[in-house]
């Protein structure tokens, strides 16, 4: 079955729900059983890890199981588990695979709350963290230790958009008995197939493109058969559970994700290419542009591009940058991304980086290109540059 068809059919069972196209929202805590025999039978099925065999609301409802079944199928993993946020998914996956005395390799480009969780929380429980250069590929071998249990990857990197050589990293990790955990939010289940590239546990901040409308928080972890029991048990030990209304919104968003992503991809490349021609711009960091240092790897491993990328302005005064951002009408100032609307947020990675110095001095901005007409978005940015120039003439082009 082709991918677009799978996106429509995955996890749907109308015959179980009075013929309804969509799995309804099941709310509930207690689940009643007709007899002791039925209760014992259900417990047995649950112990045997039968999908959907649940004895209590915290372990999910048919709404949750529909999303889990769909994402496992789309990402190409064994089973999936829903979480109340993307960060809860990252934190639980890492907690499941690490114990006191273990060592984890973490990419310098990781989503910063994930990094904080590892160092501030798991660090307190005796897990050692080494930050590695996201572009080092198989070079991570030098940092592997006998107690390295997890290599954490995120490609492209949050904010800075380095593309990682996941197959090369996975080969080294597996040779040393470590598992590869990937934050695959940018790639989505459609544009990067983690389990074809050696990943053991894949994480989606479903808050982004799966929900797709900026109206719910959700996370999903998808596992290999080997890693699934640990992830599942740890999820239950930590009491992680998501609300069925949010899960329903994710299921609803999922069905249109391909058409939305095709447009985000196309419009994102159009806006990024236009920005590259502007004299006020130092660098555009978009993996689908040939100027991106990781472009060849992106072409080799990815099936598309999200609408999220970074642009570094030429050095300008803070007042001029502020005038640029404030003048934008279609790019809202805010974090998160993956909704239908365009967003802009300034960032400064130089303070966090330990493996490589951020080479730019101008203000960096992360842009999310939404589903507006790209011509309007370009006109909006053009207005921003006019506002910037009004405050300050840009530093001249370097020779
Ligand atoms: C947003 C995001 C997360 C966290 O997701 P939440 O649902 O906001 O907790 C994790 N990883 C990446 C790459 C993200 O962009």
């Amino acid at each position: 079955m082709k991918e677009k068809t799978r996106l429509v059919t995955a996890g749907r069972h109308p015959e179980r729900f009075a013929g309804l196209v969509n799995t309804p929202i099941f709310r509930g805590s207690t689940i009643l059983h007709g007899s002791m025999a039925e209760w014992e039978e259900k417990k047995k099925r649950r112990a045997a890890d039968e999908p959907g065999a649940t004895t209590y609301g915290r372990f999910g409802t048919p709404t949750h199981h529909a999303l889990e079944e769909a994402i496992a199928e789309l990402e190409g993993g064994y089973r999936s588990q829903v979480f109340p946020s993307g960060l809860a998914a990252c934190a639980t996956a890492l907690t499941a695979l690490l114990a006191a005395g273990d060592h984890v390799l973490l990419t310098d480009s990781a989503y910063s709350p994930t990094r904080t969780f590892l160092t501030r929380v798991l660090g307190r429980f005796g897990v050692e963290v080494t930050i590695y250069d996201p572009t080092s590929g198989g070079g991570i071998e030098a940092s592997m230790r006998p107690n390295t249990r997890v290599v954490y990857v995120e490609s492209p990197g949050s904010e800075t958009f380095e593309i990682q050589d996941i197959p090369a990293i996975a080969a080294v990790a597996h040779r040393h008995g470590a598992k590869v955990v990937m934050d695959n939010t940018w790639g989505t289940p459609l544009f990067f197939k983690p389990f074809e590239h050696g990943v053991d546990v894949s994480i989606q901040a479903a808050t982004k493109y799966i929900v797709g409308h900026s109206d719910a928080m959700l996370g999903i972890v998808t596992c290999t058969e080997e890693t699934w029991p640990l992830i599942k048990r740890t999820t239950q030990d930590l009491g992680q559970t998501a609300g069925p209304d949010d899960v329903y919104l994710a299921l609803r968003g999922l069905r249109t994700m391909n058409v939305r992503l095709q447009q985000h991809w196309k419009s994102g490349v159009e806006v990024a290419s236009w920005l590259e021609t502007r004299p006020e711009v130092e660098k555009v960091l978009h993996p689908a542009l040939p100027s991106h240092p990781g472009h060849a790897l992106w072409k080799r491993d990815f099936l598309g591009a999200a609408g999220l990328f970074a642009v570094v302005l030429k050095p300008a005064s803070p007042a001029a940058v502020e005038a640029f951002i404030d003048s934008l009408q279609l790019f809202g100032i805010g974090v998160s991304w993956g909704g239908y609307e365009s967003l802009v947020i300034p960032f400064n990675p130089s303070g966090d980086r330990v493996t490589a110095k951020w080479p730019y001095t101008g203000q960096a901005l992360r842009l999310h290109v939404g589903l507006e007409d790209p011509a309007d978005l370009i006109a909006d940015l053009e207005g921003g540059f006019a506002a910037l120039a009004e405050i300050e003439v840009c530093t001249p082009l370097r020779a």
Side-chain angles (χ1 to χ4, degrees), residues 181-320:
V181 178
M182 177 173 192
D183 186 326
N184 190 31
T185 303
W186 191 91
T188 81
L190 296 184
F191 288 167
F192 187 83
K193 298 293 182 183
F195 300 96
E196 290 175 14
H197 295 96
V199 170
D200 298 285
V201 174
S202 173
I203 299 160
Q204 288 290 336
T207 304
K208 311 294 165 58
Y209 283 120
I210 295 175
V211 166
H213 296 73
S214 308
D215 53 2
M217 307 290 303
L218 214 67
I220 303 171
V221 171
T222 303
C223 306
T224 54
E225 189 166 0
E226 190 195 349
T227 52
W228 167 248
L230 260 177
I231 299 288
K232 185 190 164 182
R233 195 186 323 145
T234 307
T235 303
Q236 297 184 356
D237 290 345
L238 291 171
Q240 294 276 13
T241 189
D245 299 79
D246 293 338
V247 174
Y248 183 87
L249 289 172
L251 274 165
R252 183 177 159 126
L254 186 68
R255 305 305 173 190
T256 59
M257 189 168 68
N258 178 57
V259 285
R260 287 186 284 109
L261 275 173
Q262 295 297 333
Q263 192 62 53
H264 285 294
W265 176 10
K266 192 163 168 274
S267 299
V269 167
E270 192 174 330
V271 171
S273 304
W274 177 81
L275 281 167
E276 242 181 0
T277 68
R278 292 294 307 198
E280 301 90 343
V281 168
E282 173 89 51
K283 184 74 189 164
V284 176
L285 291 167
H286 190 311
L289 296 191
S291 61
H292 190 275
H295 181 66
L297 280 177
W298 172 79
K299 247 178 125 163
R300 187 191 72 184
D301 294 345
F302 283 77
L303 304 165
L308 190 79
F309 62 94
V311 55
V312 185
L313 300 177
K314 292 228 175 94
S317 71

Side-chain angles (χ1 to χ4, degrees), residues 71-123:
I71 298 297
E73 187 178 331
L74 291 163
E75 277 215 300
Y78 173 68
R79 293 272 286 271
S80 296
Q81 171 69 48
V82 166
F83 290 87
S85 72
L87 184 58
C90 298
T92 307
L94 286 164
T95 305
L97 297 172
L98 292 163
D102 287 349
H103 175 240
V104 51
L105 282 182
L106 176 72
T107 175
D108 206 2
S109 57
Y111 179 64
S112 94
T114 303
R115 181 174 180 147
T116 304
F117 173 77
L118 259 180
T119 52
R120 195 156 68 192
V121 182
L122 291 190

Side-chain angles (χ1 to χ4, degrees), residues 13 28 80 163 223 299-300 342 345 355 389 393 397:
H13 302 283
S80 296
I163 296 284
C223 306
K299 247 178 125 163
R300 187 191 72 184
S342 290
I345 198 79
T355 61
V393 178
L397 278 165

Side-chain angles (χ1 to χ4, degrees), residues 25-65:
I25 299 172
F26 283 85
R27 299 167 189 278
S29 52
T30 298
I31 296 163
L32 297 176
H33 299 77
S35 64
M36 276 311 293
E38 199 182 292
W39 167 245
E40 293 301 334
E41 165 70 13
K42 176 71 86 53
K43 281 203 296 182
K44 251 187 241 148
R45 284 168 47 212
R46 189 166 115 69
D49 200 22
E50 187 182 307
T54 178
T55 52
Y56 187 35
R58 203 172 62 222
F59 308 132
T61 69
T63 317
H64 298 75
H65 300 139

Side-chain angles (χ1 to χ4, degrees), residues 332-386:
I333 304 169
V335 292
S336 200
W337 47 280
Y340 52 81
E341 81 289 10
S342 290
L343 293 169
V344 59
I345 198 79
F347 69 93
N348 177 17
S350 52
D352 310 332
R353 290 311 172 103
V354 296
T355 61
K357 209 176 139 21
W358 178 247
Y360 309 107
T361 48
Q363 181 62 55
L365 307 170
R366 190 185 70 177
L367 296 184
H368 179 251
V369 167
L371 300 177
E372 303 90 344
D373 192 307
D376 286 332
L377 295 176
I378 286 170
D380 202 28
L381 293 166
E382 213 157 22
F385 286 130

